[in-house]
Amino acid sequence: KASPEKREALLKEANDLCQQFLTGNEKHRFYPVAEREAESLRTDTIKAQSAAARALAQKDPEGAKKMRAELAKNLESVADKHKAVLDAALPKFTAAYAAFNKWKTEYGKAHPDVEDAQPPREVLVPLDRCFNDWIVADQRWVSAKVDQVECYDDSDSDKKALADKMIEYCGKMAENEAIQNFPLVAAWYKLMQGRIYAAVQNEEKAGESWKEALDGVGDMQNPTPAQNKQLQAIRRLILHDLVKLRMRTKKYGEVVNIVMGSLAEPALAPLFEESSGKELIIDYAKAITLQADAGQNDYENALKVLGKQIEKENGPGGNPGWAGQYMLAMAEILVQSRKINM
């Protein structure tokens, strides 16, 4: 796993190459793909810079705070671009949705005994297209604003102001009449609302939002494969954010219980093959040893957990970089174990 500085340099190099392709190639068939990748690279670069700022905080807290504020401003410029797309998409959706409601009202009056009638193509096609354009643009904007909230230093007043604004916005979107037939969309906004609460250390409210997200999709009947994939993705995101929040609030026993339960659930297995899930394995091992009543057996269990992961990452198809991260965590635990036994 690359250091924050190395990751930032690699992302900058990739972004420069992407920008070179975008210049003068507007008609190329891969131009839309490159546009999306360029946006993703910009966001990832800012996140890498945020990791560097967190590392700097140990040596220069004020310098790190200043760096984080600058990064938040950079993310605001990313969000503004998404907002421009959103502002163009919303009026089109509003018009298409109004046309649908008009048809629904008129058809209902003419056919009072008919339920769940299918709108005609001239109503449904524009509605589907405009709904998709609106939601995609809105979620990209919200994602960028949430990243911006997370960039700010906890002591920065701009963090709370933006957090309050986005918490309210996500709550309204989750209850928006237009998406009530799309529980996965509503759950996504509750997921993001929980992330914002977690970013400002409101553990109780974060938990409430994530519970509402899961409750909203818990009774979905016969989801399609695509819907089930989205559902499991939401569950994995909530699990990741919940463990990170519990680690920050030093509720190590809850971390152990959450991760143990998740490791035993087949539907969540893909998470632990991703980088975000591998981070949770490290958190899990550390949490085992950080519990108030942790003893020698707990240290041995934590080392076994990490040893198993090291063996896996050093094997076929593994990632030696993650093996290195697990070994670093193992070294930390060994040092702590020696202190206890002294």
Side-chain angles (χ1 to χ4, degrees), residues 102-161:
K102 180 181 178 182
W103 171 85
K104 186 177 179 181
T105 299
E106 293 176 351
Y107 189 90
K109 289 179 180 179
H111 307 84
D113 297 328
V114 178
E115 296 182 1
D116 299 325
Q118 184 77 357
R121 180 178 175 80
E122 61 268 21
V123 172
L124 190 59
V125 171
L127 179 64
D128 285 346
R129 183 183 66 250
C130 293
F131 177 84
N132 184 67
D133 291 347
W134 167 54
I135 286 297
V136 169
D138 192 81
Q139 292 189 344
R140 286 177 177 171
W141 175 69
V142 169
S143 293
K145 298 304 286 185
V146 173
D147 287 341
Q148 184 182 349
V149 170
E150 293 176 337
C151 264
Y152 283 116
D153 187 85
D154 288 340
S155 63
D156 196 319
S157 60
D158 288 341
K159 180 171 188 171
K160 185 179 186 308

Side-chain angles (χ1 to χ4, degrees), residues 44-224:
D44 285 347
T45 300
I46 291 173
K47 288 182 178 179
Q49 292 170 333
S50 181
R54 287 194 295 271
L56 177 64
Q58 300 176 4
K59 300 178 181 179
D60 182 6
E62 283 303 313
K65 180 179 178 180
K66 184 177 180 180
M67 181 187 292
R68 291 170 73 99
E70 184 62 32
L71 294 175
K73 290 298 180 183
N74 292 340
L75 263 173
E76 185 173 15
S77 68
V78 173
D80 287 344
K81 293 177 182 178
H82 293 312
K83 188 64 164 61
V85 177
L86 172 60
D87 289 344
L90 180 56
K92 296 177 183 178
F93 168 71
T94 301
Y97 190 58
F100 165 74
N101 281 328
K102 180 181 178 182
W103 171 85
K104 186 177 179 181
T105 299
E106 293 176 351
Y107 189 90
K109 289 179 180 179
H111 307 84
D113 297 328
V114 178
E115 296 182 1
D116 299 325
Q118 184 77 357
R121 180 178 175 80
E122 61 268 21
V123 172
L124 190 59
V125 171
L127 179 64
D128 285 346
R129 183 183 66 250
C130 293
F131 177 84
N132 184 67
D133 291 347
W134 167 54
I135 286 297
V136 169
D138 192 81
Q139 292 189 344
R140 286 177 177 171
W141 175 69
V142 169
S143 293
K145 298 304 286 185
V146 173
D147 287 341
Q148 184 182 349
V149 170
E150 293 176 337
C151 264
Y152 283 116
D153 187 85
D154 288 340
S155 63
D156 196 319
S157 60
D158 288 341
K159 180 171 188 171
K160 185 179 186 308
L162 181 58
D164 289 344
K165 173 185 174 182
M166 296 309 300
I167 285 169
E168 180 180 6
Y169 184 86
C170 288
K172 287 182 177 179
M173 283 298 294
E175 298 174 358
N176 191 305
E177 175 189 307
I179 67 172
Q180 292 313 297
N181 289 328
F182 303 92
L184 287 168
V185 176
W188 185 88
Y189 284 101
K190 297 304 293 186
L191 161 67
M192 300 306 280
Q193 186 182 58
R195 274 188 60 187
I196 304 167
Y197 275 127
V200 293
Q201 309 300 317
N202 193 330
E203 183 180 1
E204 181 179 354
K205 287 293 186 181
E208 288 177 6
S209 293
W210 290 331
K211 184 177 185 301
E212 289 174 15
L214 294 174
D215 288 347
V217 295
D219 58 353
M220 285 184 66
Q221 300 296 318
N222 302 317
T224 66

